[in-house]
Amino acid sequence: MSEPGQGAAAAGAAGTSAASASLYIVERRLPKIDDYQLAVLQAALTAAAARFSARGDGACYLRSIFLARQERLLSLFLADSLEAVRAVNEAALVPFASIEPAIELPGLAQPYLPSPPGPGGVPWR
């Protein structure tokens, strides 16, 4: 498990040092958003984070998860500070409800286990 807010595994990809990079979750409420608008939003976040990272401002957009029924988008960032995450999101012109430090709880890597054969030797699906 990572230390609170730490994301050392992704730090190299972000261009930030492992000692200073932390994970942050940005929450957005997005009622009535469609797939195209989600794609535009993600492009804006990606572009803004790339600009900040190129300047050495220590912020990297990792990914987002959209919870359709709740109309919420949760975006994961690796950054030197909460202020860097805020600046990226403001530069992307995408409103947000909150920014919180996050702790990654990695799952166990599980190898693919085929289903046991069913009747006639056909695997269960």
Side-chain angles (χ1 to χ4, degrees):
M1 176 168 56
S2 300
E3 290 296 316
Q6 294 300 305
T16 60
S17 70
S20 64
S22 296
L23 290 173
Y24 295 91
I25 292 282
V26 178
E27 179 182 5
R28 294 177 173 77
R29 302 296 176 149
L30 302 170
K32 299 181 175 126
I33 193 164
D34 61 31
D35 290 347
Y36 175 76
Q37 291 168 319
L38 279 172
V40 169
L41 184 150
Q42 183 170 9
L45 288 174
T46 301
R51 288 191 309 271
F52 275 71
S53 186
R55 290 192 323 225
D57 286 339
C60 179
Y61 168 65
L62 299 175
R63 64 186 159 275
S64 293
I65 297 173
F66 182 60
L67 306 171
R69 204 173 69 215
Q70 295 180 8
E71 300 176 327
R72 289 174 47 202
L73 183 73
L74 303 174
S75 300
L76 184 63
F77 287 82
L78 185 66
D80 292 336
S81 67
L82 188 141
E83 291 75 24
V85 176
R86 179 181 309 280
V88 167
N89 282 273
E90 289 173 349
L93 301 175
V94 182
F96 54 90
S98 66
I99 301 173
E100 297 293 333
I103 299 172
E104 183 177 14
L105 304 173
L108 297 175
Q110 297 177 350
Y112 170 74
L113 298 175
S115 300
V122 177
W124 296 106
R125 299 212 184 249

